[in-house]
Amino acid sequence: MWWITFSFHDIAFGLLSVFLPLYVLSLGGSVIDVGLMCSLSIIASIPADFIWGYLCDRARHYKLFISFSFISLALVICALAFVQDLKLVILLYVIMAVLQSAHESPKNVLIAEAYPREEWERGYAIQRFF
């Protein structure tokens, strides 16, 4: 039942992807700032995926990486509530993208370990459904 935590996480970040651009606009930012924020976060998450995956494989403590990712993301989201500077909001969003990728590789390993090979598709589908 560990995948339930991912469901709450996905719900929170789904809502965040809607409300954060509105927050940027309310701070006086433009649509260009929202696009810059999104593109920088994607660019930063590409090497972060490789780094987190490598560290996860070396450490072999998958739940530790998931916990680190979720706790650090919660702290960054709390910090976002108090930030009024547009550049700092963009920076925190990029940091969130890097921290977000810290749990993707361990999640895939946990699904692979929890289900036999024949049921991997079902395991991924169940996790994504919820």
Side-chain angles (χ1 to χ4, degrees):
M1 295 304 239
W2 55 266
W3 48 268
I4 292 174
T5 58
F6 289 99
S7 301
F8 291 119
H9 172 77
D10 290 341
I11 290 168
F13 272 84
L15 292 172
L16 188 66
S17 67
V18 172
F19 290 121
L20 200 57
L22 294 174
Y23 186 56
V24 168
L25 295 175
S26 73
L27 290 175
S30 66
V31 178
I32 302 283
D33 295 321
V34 173
L36 178 68
M37 178 180 71
C38 292
S39 62
L40 288 175
S41 68
I42 290 170
I43 290 169
S45 68
I46 292 170
D49 283 333
F50 290 113
I51 293 168
W52 288 118
Y54 174 76
L55 292 173
C56 177
D57 286 342
R58 296 272 299 177
R60 302 258 185 231
H61 295 287
Y62 306 112
K63 292 180 182 178
L64 180 69
F65 281 89
I66 294 169
S67 299
F68 169 75
S69 176
F70 286 176
I71 291 169
S72 59
L73 285 170
L75 294 173
V76 172
I77 290 173
C78 289
L80 272 173
F82 300 106
V83 173
Q84 297 293 318
D85 182 35
L86 184 61
K87 291 178 184 173
L88 192 54
V89 168
I90 292 172
L91 176 67
L92 286 175
Y93 190 73
V94 171
I95 291 170
M96 279 188 350
V98 170
L99 295 172
Q100 170 86 5
S101 64
H103 78 273
E104 290 298 329
S105 296
K107 175 185 73 172
N108 295 337
V109 171
L110 286 177
I111 289 174
E113 288 179 348
Y115 295 94
R117 175 126 173 67
E118 298 79 30
E119 296 181 19
W120 281 357
E121 290 177 3
R122 181 176 164 265
Y124 286 111
I126 289 171
Q127 192 273 323
R128 293 310 306 166
F129 176 75
F130 287 103

